[in-house]
Amino acid sequence: MYKIDLEERVLHFRQPAGTSRGIYTDRRSWFVTVTDGNRQGVGECAPLPQLSCDDRSDYAQLLRRFCDQIEQTGCFDPELLRDYPSMLFGLETAMLHLQAGDIIFDTPFSRGEEGITINGLVWMGNFEEMTQRLDQKLDQGFHCVKLKIGAIRFEDELELVKRIRNRYSHREVELRVDANGAFDFEDALYRMELLAQYAIHSIEQPIRAGQWSFMAELCRNSPLPIALDEELIGVNDRDQKRQMLNIIRPAYIVLKPSLHGGMMGVREWVETARDMGIGSWITSALESNVGLDAIAQLTADIYGSAIRMPQGLGTGQLFTDNIPMPLTIKGDKLWRCR
């Protein structure tokens, strides 16, 4: 039988993390520790405020009830948690860790033999701050950079992109932009046409989620490949996933286990997208290193050896009080050091 303990913990950002939805200064997580008398497994449940479909005022109480049910029955059924992705991800991680130990998926990455190529993330800020952050990422050796846009004047963001392209060709630096739903449908296409002049790899979530017909129209007409992110939140049924992708037909989907169905849900999304010729990559959702380690191991297991598409796994250095884990960034690769 299992015994499950919960610990609530608040992590603090080194610098405010700005998105079009607001600014994060700290991050709340619940750590799940499962024991069976001999072994122990740890996972992280970390809903994003006002974004996760399972962000709710009674989160801790509901998570405790799910843990009590597992203790009483001795059974963990992921299907029961399908609509609670951040809880599902934490419990999946803890159970896998309990059963398999340090390496939850046996891959060259998990064994420390290969690194995963990642993108550098430039948070929103004023023009000078974003320019400085971008230069830091390029100096660190990143060849793919994602810019958070939508918080300052679009003309200033466009000028930043122009400066990058004047300095680096698209062969030297791959540029992704993430609007987090900041554009209005009426001007989104025009803005994407302006961005397309600068060889942008893709744009994530140009308009707010829930507008399937408008998003489908943008995907048909955009000069930029569109990637869905927030659009996937709350779409937890496998048939509904296929229906949504069939209607919108994006170029890519961007997957976060804490938001998009846990490990189980992410695998479903990837398989469904592959069947429809839609690309994907995986990112963290600002978890601590506990969650990041599990996401990185999952990523290596899903995509196989020598991943070429840069993944969004460079968040381990965001917090002043992160939890030590065997993760390190060398150049533009995330490595797991046993």
Side-chain angles (χ1 to χ4, degrees):
M1 298 297 286
Y2 301 116
K3 183 179 186 304
I4 305 178
D5 294 317
L6 296 179
E7 178 192 359
E8 183 179 351
R9 189 162 175 175
V10 177
L11 303 175
H12 301 87
F13 285 92
R14 294 184 186 279
Q15 60 187 31
T19 76
S20 59
R21 292 184 300 274
I23 297 175
Y24 292 116
T25 57
D26 56 40
R27 183 77 167 94
R28 189 177 304 274
S29 293
W30 283 262
F31 292 91
V32 180
T33 301
V34 182
T35 57
D36 64 1
N38 299 308
R39 300 166 300 173
Q40 176 176 292
V42 179
E44 180 178 5
C45 304
L48 278 170
Q50 301 178 3
L51 185 61
S52 298
C53 65
D54 56 356
D55 174 43
R56 41 193 291 165
S57 59
D58 63 343
Y59 186 92
Q61 293 91 334
L62 182 59
L63 177 58
R64 182 66 258 176
R65 286 203 294 271
F66 282 127
C67 293
D68 290 344
Q69 186 177 25
I70 295 170
E71 286 182 338
Q72 292 162 10
T73 64
C75 178
F76 169 58
D77 183 0
E79 286 293 336
L80 297 177
L81 289 150
R82 186 176 278 275
D83 292 329
Y84 306 93
S86 66
M87 299 184 198
L88 173 57
F89 173 61
L91 285 164
E92 283 175 311
T93 301
M95 298 303 290
L96 284 169
H97 189 196
L98 177 79
Q99 295 159 8
D102 181 52
I103 294 179
I104 59 176
F105 299 111
D106 191 10
T107 66
F109 168 77
S110 296
R111 297 192 299 269
E113 299 165 5
E114 290 181 354
I116 297 176
T117 302
I118 60 175
N119 63 252
L121 177 61
V122 176
W123 289 100
M124 288 178 177
N126 61 42
F127 183 81
E128 290 74 21
E129 288 171 338
M130 292 184 72
T131 301
Q132 182 182 19
R133 292 167 190 169
L134 173 67
D135 288 340
Q136 289 173 349
K137 294 301 177 185
L138 297 175
D139 289 344
Q140 289 167 11
F142 286 96
H143 297 93
C144 175
V145 178
K146 183 168 92 169
L147 302 175
K148 291 276 190 178
I149 62 173
I152 62 175
R153 286 196 331 136
F154 179 72
E155 292 75 15
D156 289 339
E157 293 169 339
L158 199 64
E159 178 63 25
L160 179 60
V161 170
K162 180 180 177 180
R163 284 194 190 184
I164 299 168
R165 276 295 168 250
N166 286 340
R167 185 170 158 194
Y168 299 99
S169 74
H170 69 278
R171 294 183 182 85
E172 295 172 295
V173 175
E174 179 180 287
L175 276 179
R176 300 173 179 173
V177 295
D178 183 0
N180 286 127
F183 297 170
D184 294 325
F185 171 72
E186 290 73 19
D187 61 10
L189 190 60
Y190 173 66
R191 291 187 173 193
M192 289 190 287
E193 287 170 349
L194 294 176
L195 287 166
Q197 301 174 73
Y198 303 106
I200 303 297
H201 171 270
S202 57
I203 180 168
E204 286 182 41
Q205 202 68 40
I207 62 175
R208 62 181 173 79
Q211 306 177 88
W212 289 12
S213 60
F214 285 162
M215 188 67 84
E217 184 176 339
L218 290 179
C219 287
R220 285 194 301 270
N221 299 314
S222 172
L224 286 179
I226 291 177
L228 302 185
D229 181 353
E230 289 90 341
E231 201 72 63
L232 313 178
I233 296 173
V235 182
N236 299 317
D237 177 77
R238 189 161 197 158
D239 290 338
Q240 191 180 15
K241 292 174 183 178
R242 182 172 295 277
Q243 179 190 25
M244 190 196 73
L245 293 182
N246 191 47
I247 290 172
I248 297 178
R249 290 284 172 170
Y252 302 100
I253 56 175
V254 184
L255 297 163
K256 301 176 175 71
S258 289
L259 293 177
H260 302 136
M263 296 185 185
M264 174 182 73
V266 165
R267 290 186 189 277
E268 289 180 356
W269 277 115
V270 172
E271 291 167 6
T272 303
R274 278 177 179 163
D275 290 345
M276 304 174 73
I278 296 169
S280 65
W281 66 86
I282 294 174
T283 84
S284 65
L286 307 180
E287 293 89 355
S288 77
N289 279 336
V290 172
L292 178 61
D293 179 57
I295 294 168
Q297 291 197 58
L298 173 69
T299 300
D301 189 57
I302 286 177
Y303 294 123
S305 186
I307 299 170
R308 290 173 179 81
M309 173 81 78
Q311 308 291 307
L313 304 175
T315 57
Q317 299 170 327
L318 291 177
F319 302 108
T320 60
D321 45 3
N322 210 336
I323 297 167
M325 292 291 283
L327 298 171
T328 187
I329 296 175
K330 301 176 184 177
D332 65 349
K333 289 183 181 292
L334 178 71
W335 289 82
R336 192 169 191 273
C337 306
R338 298 272 328 262

